[in-house]
């Protein structure tokens, strides 16, 4: 399936413009459907081209994957490879994640208390 | 809601839920789960308590001061543990190379800083869940009472 | 235009396909519904679609969950996407909680959670 | 124990986060320490950014492996010229805005949320520092989310219903953007198996021919995602309300820094992660160029008809972010340098203008441009600073706005696009049309109706805008070191 995603992208950009300026109406509904249809077509065309689902030769199963499985126990001492990743290999992400939770608390509390 | 049955069952269940949550937190490096899942379970137990009884009873169990302290404490612990590695001459958040004892893989007290991180995350997530719940409920309650 | 090869590929990649459909549904909900709660639900559907597509990248046919206590001759799933999505879920939860707190306050000020209604109230100047 | 300067970037992020986590406890138990804590953290941020800039300038860029794991396995921070340039911009403007804000916020916010404001402010700064230094796409997504939530929260903290509405609109749109960014990251991870920007750049040329659609879709979603967050023209709809409703220090930071950090993230992703040959095949940069030209014209035209001064400044920001994207999308050496320079210059001018508008609102309560006649006599220093900012916006030689516009125009001419120069000139003319009447009215306008009540302007507020005004003139007259630094920056990127 040939697809020019750039048209889809341009329409996505224009779409958001229209959504926020057109009042809710039937016309807006139709326009939204048409635009989402085009975006959906582009995405479906991408799905048809993606690496096969579940194949062990897919690009993500590369040396990084091998290292995480074969050396995680030796590197981190954790049997659960996911725990090894979130708290050791990529612990900075987890710090960010904890911070997101804290930000949500701070944001929600400040908003609830301010009014 | 004033339902005796719900309250009795809740009193029975909540300790087990919390125990299970603690189990999931502390066994994060050995089995599926970890700080996030376990923290969510512990937080859910507090929410269950507040739902079965009422908000005041819930906040008496976990006062605002303590939950504020736990919020910050979990995250601060995480960062300080990262700095410990730095003081030991390694990069931020280093585990093995900084000399945290890894122990025997498969034991409960193994994997160095990961165990500590899981516990810190568990604290943080659990307290966040119930703080958010209480405050959202209080926010909408205050409105209802003012009407 | 649509040949059998493409269809079989779509069929093989059914997880991705479902994720795309979810994404479109979420997008549509987010953009067309005036009810703010529904907008938030659409937002969550959209993010879930992104998580689904991310986490299904890590799937390997016949693989086990990456708990490495059975030796290395097993096939394990790719743990990296799962770890990343754990982060992503927490992010989505946080955004939802904050958005809901905003909606509570908005409801207290305007008495409605309908975006069009709020716009109407705002434009009305006595 | 060897703590050398290589640890500094992560110390910056971690200490800002630590201060943010401590702030609620400190505010609850020892209220008087809260403000010094935030000032101290921001001062540390500014000083260490300055030191880092000197170190990088002298020793060259370096990488930092978090947890000691080298790139494909762990997260890598890349502290190159771009990163230190952004860090310095954010820290200095952020420090000035919060010093100013201490006075303004006491008057504008409820007492019990002031501590939360400091927390959110520090979180915002930490996340912006994180976005600047990280070299990992997913890590960038996490920081982008932190900054999205905290940026919304420093709007909704003010006690007015417009703020909540603007903040919710911003939050919904920026979450849409985050969803797009995450999906695009997934598309790239699917075909390369890497999240590190350097590795992506290596692997993408090899897989380009196998999965062209994935790359196309990821490009499109990155443009939409970062475009929404940076308020690129058709996606800017949240910006005017949000920046108008927010408290003045928040407006200054949001308009001056937060939209820029997404533009910088856009630059990082597009020029560092994607190989250049992709843009020869896919004209995505042409689209961005077209949109930014539209943004420049649209923002300037709409700003002319605004009555509220903050709203006018907000629309002007849409035009100015257009300049930044214009520079990036031209992809020439001088053009990208011009775009980066405009990040710095616009951060200074727009924060100063918003802070000056804040002083006007603080001391007189006037928001409407029409009521500002004769204000120059009452608030001479404030209006003088405002005038400097306005001149810089227009691009009068001698101010820093001129330098970046000049660079952009030269960059456009380098690539043989004289039409861009026409756009820049036209936009300067339009800027002149809406900034100059304010200045002229303020100084020479006939004093209208009843006498205005002028409150006393706190010295701190005045000094901070005067400092920024001095910076505008300084970098307008003596831009050479900055330009030399940016030359190095773009040579490293392109």
């Amino acid at each position: 399936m040939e697809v020019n995603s750039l048209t889809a992208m341009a329409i996505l950009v224009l779409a958001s413009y229209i959504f926020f300026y057109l009042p809710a109406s039937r016309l807006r509904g139709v326009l939204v459907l048409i635009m989402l249809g085009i975006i959906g077509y582009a995405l479906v065309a991408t799905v048809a081209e993606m690496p096969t689902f579940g194949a062990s030769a897919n690009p993500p199963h590369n040396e990084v994957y091998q290292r995480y499985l074969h050396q995680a126990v030796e590197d981190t001492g954790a049997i659960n490879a996911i725990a090894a990743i979130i708290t050791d290999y990529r612990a900075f992400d987890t710090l960010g994640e904890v911070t997101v939770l804290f930000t949500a608390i701070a944001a929600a509390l400040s908003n609830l208390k301010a009014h | 809601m004033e339902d005796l049955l719900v309250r009795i069952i809740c009193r029975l269940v909540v300790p087990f839920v919390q125990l299970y949550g603690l189990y999931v937190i502390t066994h994060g490096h050995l089995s599926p789960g970890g700080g996030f899942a376990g923290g969510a379970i512990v937080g859910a137990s507090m929410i269950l308590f507040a739902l079965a009884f009422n908000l005041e009873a819930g906040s008496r169990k976990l006062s605002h001061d303590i939950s504020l302290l736990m919020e910050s404490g979990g995250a601060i612990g995480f960062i300080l543990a990262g700095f410990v590695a730095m003081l030991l001459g390694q990069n931020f958040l280093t585990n093995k190379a900084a000399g945290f004892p890894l122990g025997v893989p498969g034991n409960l007290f193994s994997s160095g800083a990961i165990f500590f991180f899981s516990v810190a995350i568990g604290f943080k997530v659990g307290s966040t869940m119930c703080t958010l719940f209480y405050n959202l409920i209080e926010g909408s309650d205050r409105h209802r009472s003012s009407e | 235009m649509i040949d059998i090869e493409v269809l079989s590929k779509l069929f093989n990649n059914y997880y991705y396909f479902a994720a795309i459909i979810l994404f479109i549904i979420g997008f549509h909900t987010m953009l067309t519904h005036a009810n703010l709660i529904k907008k938030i639900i659409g937002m969550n559907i959209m993010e879930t679609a992104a998580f689904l597509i991310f986490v299904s990248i890590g799937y390997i046919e016949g693989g086990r969950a990456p708990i490495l206590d059975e030796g290395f001759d097993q096939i394990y799933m790719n743990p990296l996407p799962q770890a990343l999505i754990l982060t992503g879920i927490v992010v989505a939860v946080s955004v939802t909680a904050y958005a809901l707190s905003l909606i509570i306050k908005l409801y207290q000020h305007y008495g409605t959670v309908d975006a069009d209604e709020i716009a109407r109230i705002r434009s009305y100047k006595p | 124990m060897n703590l050398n300067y290589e640890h500094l970037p992560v110390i910056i992020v971690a200490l800002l986060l630590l201060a943010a986590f401590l702030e609620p406890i400190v505010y609850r138990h020892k209220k008087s320490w809260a403000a010094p804590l935030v000032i101290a953290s921001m001062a540390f941020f500014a000083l260490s950014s300055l030191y880092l800039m000197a170190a990088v300038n002298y020793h060259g860029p370096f990488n930092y492996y978090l947890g000691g794991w080298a790139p494909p396995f762990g997260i890598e921070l890349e502290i190159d010229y771009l990163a230190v340039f952004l860090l310095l911009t954010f820290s200095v403007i952020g420090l000035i805005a919060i010093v100013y804000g201490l006075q303004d916020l006491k008057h504008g916010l409820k007492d019990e949320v002031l501590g939360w404001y400091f927390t959110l402010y520090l979180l915002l700064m930490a996340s912006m520092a994180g976005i600047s230094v990280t070299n990992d796409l997913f890590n960038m997504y996490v920081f982008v989310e932190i900054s999205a939530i905290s940026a919304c929260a420093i709007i909704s903290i003010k006690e007015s219903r417009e703020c909540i509405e603007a903040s919710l609109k911003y939050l919904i749109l920026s979450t849409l953007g985050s969803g797009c960014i995450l999906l695009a990251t997934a598309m790239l991870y699917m075909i390369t198996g890497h999240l590190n920007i350097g590795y992506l750049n290596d692997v993408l040329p090899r897989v380009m021919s196998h999965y062209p659609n994935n790359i196309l879709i990821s490009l499109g979603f990155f443009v939409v995602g970062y475009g929404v967050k940076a308020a690129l023209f058709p996606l800017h709809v949240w910006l005017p309300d949000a920046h108008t409703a927010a408290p003045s220090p928040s407006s200054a930071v949001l308009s001056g820094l937060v939209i820029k950090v997404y533009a910088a993230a856009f630059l990082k992703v597009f020029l560092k992660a994607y190989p250049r040959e992709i843009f020869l095949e896919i004209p995505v940069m042409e689209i961005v160029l077209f949109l930014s030209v539209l943004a420049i014209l649209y923002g300037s035209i709409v700003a002319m008809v605004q009555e509220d001064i903050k709203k006018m400044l907000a629309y002007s920001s849409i035009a100015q972010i257009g300049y930044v994207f214009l520079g990036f999308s031209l992809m020439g050496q001088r053009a990208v340098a011009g775009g980066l320079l405009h990040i710095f210059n616009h951060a200074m001018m727009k924060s100063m203008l918003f802070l000056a508008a804040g002083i006007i609102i603080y001391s007189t309560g006037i928001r409407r441009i029409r009521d500002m006649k004769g204000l120059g006599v009452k608030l001479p220093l404030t209006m003088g600073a405002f005038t400097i900012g306005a001149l810089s916006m227009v691009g009068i030689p001698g101010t820093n706005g001129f330098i970046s516009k000049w660079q952009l125009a030269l960059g456009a001419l380098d690539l043989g696009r004289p039409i861009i120069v026409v756009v820049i000139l036209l936009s300067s003319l339009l800027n002149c049309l809406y900034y100059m009447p304010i200045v002229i009215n303020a100084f020479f306008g006939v004093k209208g109706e009843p006498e205005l009540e002028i409150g006393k302007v706190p010295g701190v507020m005045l000094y901070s805008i005067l400092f920024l005004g001095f910076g505008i003139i300084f970098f307008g007259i003596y831009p050479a070191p900055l330009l030399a630094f940016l030359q190095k920056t773009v040579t490293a990127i392109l």
Side-chain angles (χ1 to χ4, degrees):
Chain A
M1 282 208 283
E2 274 292 313
V3 62
N4 190 350
S5 311
L6 282 177
T7 23
M9 192 185 89
I11 285 170
L12 195 65
V13 168
L14 289 176
S16 56
Y17 184 56
I18 290 166
F19 297 144
F20 282 90
Y21 280 95
L22 276 185
S25 63
R26 196 184 213 110
L27 177 67
R28 189 174 83 167
V30 173
L31 280 177
V32 169
L33 275 183
I34 292 174
M35 285 159 188
L36 285 178
I38 295 172
I39 297 165
Y41 176 79
L43 285 172
V44 167
T46 312
V47 170
E49 206 191 72
M50 282 174 185
T52 316
F53 174 67
S56 56
N58 281 350
H61 313 313
N62 53 5
E63 75 274 12
V64 185
Y65 160 75
Q66 298 295 341
R67 163 85 185 237
Y68 283 156
L69 289 184
H70 290 243
Q71 278 184 289
V73 177
E74 194 184 312
D75 282 347
T76 67
I79 289 178
N80 183 351
I82 296 171
I85 292 174
I86 60 172
T87 47
D88 198 337
Y89 288 109
R90 297 181 70 90
F92 199 52
D93 268 355
T94 310
L95 177 58
E97 184 180 1
V98 170
T99 312
V100 172
L101 274 175
F102 188 84
T103 316
I105 288 274
L109 284 193
S110 67
N111 172 40
L112 290 170
K113 279 186 183 157
H115 298 275
Chain B
M1 196 170 62
E2 300 287 332
D3 194 320
L4 192 65
L5 214 53
V6 170
R7 290 187 168 193
I8 289 175
I9 298 286
C10 171
R11 266 197 198 286
L12 279 176
V13 164
V14 161
F16 289 102
V17 174
Q18 286 181 340
L19 191 66
Y20 179 61
L22 287 178
Y23 168 81
V24 172
I25 291 175
T26 48
H27 287 68
H29 52 294
L30 303 177
S31 59
F36 291 102
I41 294 170
V42 173
S45 77
M46 295 303 294
I47 291 176
L48 175 66
F49 190 83
L51 283 179
F53 291 83
N54 50 36
L55 219 56
E56 285 82 57
S59 18
R60 229 176 295 132
K61 291 271 171 204
L62 189 70
S63 76
H64 281 320
D65 265 353
I66 303 228
S67 71
L68 187 72
L69 216 59
M70 272 167 71
E71 291 298 328
S72 300
I76 290 173
F78 204 110
I79 293 186
L80 289 184
F83 274 128
V84 167
M86 200 183 271
L87 291 180
L88 292 171
Q90 295 295 324
N91 284 359
F92 192 61
L93 292 171
T94 307
N95 181 10
K96 183 188 175 190
F100 285 103
L102 288 196
V104 183
N107 284 4
L108 178 58
F109 294 107
S110 62
S111 73
I114 290 184
F115 183 77
F116 178 76
F117 285 155
S118 294
V119 174
I121 296 168
F123 259 85
K124 172 82 185 109
V125 174
S127 64
T128 302
M129 292 243 337
C130 49
T131 313
L132 269 180
F133 176 79
Y134 285 0
N135 280 289
L136 286 181
I137 297 286
E138 272 172 20
S140 43
D141 264 3
R142 205 184 302 151
H143 173 57
R144 210 168 294 136
S145 58
S146 68
E147 262 179 357
Chain C
M1 195 167 79
I2 296 175
D3 52 24
I4 198 76
E5 204 177 316
V6 169
L7 277 182
S8 73
K9 196 86 199 240
L10 281 184
F11 185 73
N12 284 336
N13 286 347
Y14 59 104
Y15 266 71
Y16 301 144
F17 190 53
I20 295 301
I21 292 171
L22 272 181
F23 189 83
I24 300 286
I25 291 172
F27 218 123
H28 185 261
T29 315
M30 203 162 160
L31 291 174
T32 55
H33 282 267
N35 188 324
L36 290 170
I37 303 272
K38 285 186 185 164
K39 266 192 207 290
I40 302 298
I41 293 173
M43 185 175 100
N44 272 305
I45 295 176
M46 200 183 88
E47 288 194 325
T48 309
F51 298 157
L52 177 58
I53 215 168
F54 216 133
V55 89
S56 49
I57 294 170
Y59 178 75
I60 297 175
E61 199 80 48
R64 291 164 43 90
I67 311 292
L68 311 169
D69 51 358
E70 301 255 331
F72 300 125
D73 46 346
Q74 305 271 341
I75 300 173
Y76 289 109
M77 304 282 187
N78 193 342
L80 182 59
Q82 306 184 19
L84 297 180
I85 290 316
L86 204 54
T87 309
I89 289 170
V90 172
V91 168
V93 168
S94 314
V95 174
T96 310
Y98 175 47
L100 288 177
S101 85
L102 283 175
I103 291 176
I104 288 175
K105 283 296 155 190
L106 212 55
Y107 180 72
Q108 293 179 6
H109 283 293
Y110 289 94
T112 173
V113 290
D114 189 299
D116 294 338
E117 194 77 3
I118 289 171
R120 206 177 54 77
I121 294 172
R122 280 197 65 182
S123 60
Y124 173 74
K125 289 206 180 76
Chain D
M1 183 175 153
N2 58 340
L3 285 180
N4 51 8
Y5 73 93
E6 297 196 346
H7 288 292
L8 211 46
V10 78
I11 291 181
I12 289 174
V13 177
L15 271 189
L16 284 174
L17 290 179
L18 198 62
F21 298 145
L22 280 174
E23 194 71 52
I25 301 178
V26 170
Y27 194 75
R28 195 174 178 93
H29 298 291
K30 199 89 182 157
K31 210 171 254 186
S32 54
W33 289 9
L37 178 59
V38 73
I39 300 282
S41 337
M42 288 306 297
F44 171 77
F45 183 17
L47 288 177
S48 46
S49 307
L50 202 62
Y51 178 67
L52 209 53
M53 188 176 211
V56 168
N57 204 11
Y58 186 70
H59 297 289
F62 61 95
N63 292 358
Y64 187 86
Y65 305 147
L66 280 155
W69 303 114
F73 310 113
I75 293 173
E76 179 196 33
L77 304 184
E78 186 175 31
I79 298 88
D80 52 358
Y81 299 109
L82 175 64
V84 290
F85 172 72
L86 294 172
L87 281 179
L88 193 67
T89 312
F90 298 151
S91 59
V92 171
I93 307 288
L95 177 63
I96 292 171
I98 194 66
V99 167
Y100 168 100
L102 287 181
Q103 281 298 326
D104 192 53
L105 290 170
K106 264 182 211 155
H107 153 99
L109 293 183
K110 267 191 178 178
D111 199 34
E112 60 204 285
V113 295
L114 194 59
W116 288 117
Y117 186 90
F118 294 149
T119 304
L120 291 165
Y121 193 83
L122 287 171
L123 287 171
L124 184 62
M125 286 296 152
S127 63
M128 291 202 299
I131 295 172
S132 320
V133 295
T134 187
N135 200 27
D136 189 281
L137 276 188
F138 195 79
N139 197 237
M140 201 189 265
Y141 166 77
V142 174
F143 279 120
V144 162
E145 283 289 354
I146 300 172
S147 76
I149 300 178
S150 47
C152 291
I154 61 172
I155 300 170
S156 73
I157 201 164
K158 197 173 156 195
E159 192 180 3
S160 95
R161 61 186 200 178
E162 282 74 28
C163 287
I164 309 176
E165 210 200 333
S167 174
L168 186 63
K169 198 177 185 185
Y170 183 16
L171 185 70
I172 288 180
L173 274 172
S174 88
T175 315
L176 196 152
S178 310
C180 291
I181 292 173
L182 186 62
L183 197 66
T185 309
M187 295 282 179
L188 285 186
Y189 178 70
M190 185 186 289
I191 58 171
T192 61
H194 289 291
L195 291 163
N196 186 286
I197 286 177
Y199 276 78
L200 279 174
N201 198 354
D202 285 349
V203 177
L204 273 176
R206 263 185 279 143
V207 297
M208 220 167 101
S209 52
H210 300 299
Y211 310 108
N213 277 354
N214 271 52
I215 292 178
L216 272 166
I217 291 281
S218 67
L219 279 168
F221 276 115
F222 270 130
V223 169
V224 173
Y226 286 120
V228 168
K229 284 162 176 291
L232 185 58
F233 159 60
L235 305 161
H236 67 272
V237 284
W238 55 268
L239 186 141
D241 283 349
H243 290 193
T244 312
S248 301
S250 303
S251 304
V253 170
L254 289 171
S255 222
L257 306 179
V258 175
I259 55 175
K260 307 293 161 45
V261 73
Y262 299 125
F266 173 89
L267 178 74
K268 262 179 128 160
V269 171
F270 275 71
L271 295 187
K272 284 169 80 179
Y274 287 97
R276 293 298 293 281
E277 52 260 41
I278 280 180
F279 300 116
L280 300 177
E281 284 183 20
I282 305 166
V284 59
M285 282 305 193
E286 293 297 312
I287 292 183
V288 176
L289 182 66
F290 179 67
L291 292 180
S292 54
V293 167
L294 285 182
I296 292 171
L297 296 177
Y298 170 87
S300 307
I301 291 170
V302 178
M304 274 199 287
V305 298
Q306 299 304 320
E307 292 192 335
D308 185 314
I309 184 159
K310 280 179 94 173
K311 201 155 213 165
M312 187 204 85
L313 293 174
Y315 272 106
S316 155
S317 281
I318 295 171
Q320 304 294 323
I321 199 75
Y323 282 110
V324 176
F325 274 102
L326 180 83
F328 293 167
S329 57
L330 282 171
M331 292 199 297
Q333 291 245 347
R334 214 149 11 166
V336 174
L340 284 172
L341 186 62
H342 204 67
I343 286 186
F344 178 73
N345 289 345
H346 181 246
M348 277 167 73
M349 338 191 245
K350 192 45 72 61
S351 338
M352 203 201 72
L353 287 171
F354 263 117
L355 295 180
I359 290 188
I360 295 172
I361 296 168
Y362 177 91
S363 61
T364 65
I366 294 177
R367 289 184 77 109
R368 292 216 305 199
I369 293 170
R370 247 187 301 156
D371 299 339
M372 290 191 181
K373 278 181 189 154
L375 215 55
V377 188
K378 300 273 175 61
L379 295 168
L381 285 175
T382 311
M383 286 316 288
F386 193 94
T387 310
I388 294 174
L391 291 176
S392 180
M393 278 287 174
V394 175
I396 305 289
T399 56
N400 63 4
F402 171 73
I403 308 287
S404 45
K405 283 186 182 178
W406 181 250
Q407 285 290 319
L408 283 171
L410 285 182
L413 284 180
D414 282 351
L415 301 170
R417 288 170 182 270
I419 191 82
I420 303 290
V421 182
V422 176
V423 170
I424 291 174
L425 279 176
L426 191 61
S427 145
S428 300
L429 198 67
L430 291 171
N431 279 355
C432 192
L433 281 180
Y434 63 85
Y435 275 114
M436 283 307 120
I438 302 177
V439 173
I440 292 170
N441 269 331
F443 283 107
F444 307 109
V446 190
K447 246 179 285 178
E449 312 81 48
E451 278 293 305
L452 281 167
E453 279 294 314
I454 304 284
K456 195 174 176 316
V457 181
V460 180
M461 290 164 84
L462 210 53
Y463 293 138
S464 47
I465 63 166
L466 289 179
F467 183 76
L468 284 170
F470 170 75
I472 289 174
I473 302 281
F474 179 81
F475 285 107
I477 294 170
Y478 188 58
L482 201 57
L483 282 175
F485 188 80
L486 285 173
Q487 193 56 45
K488 267 195 218 172
T489 311
V490 291
T491 322
I493 295 173
L494 293 176

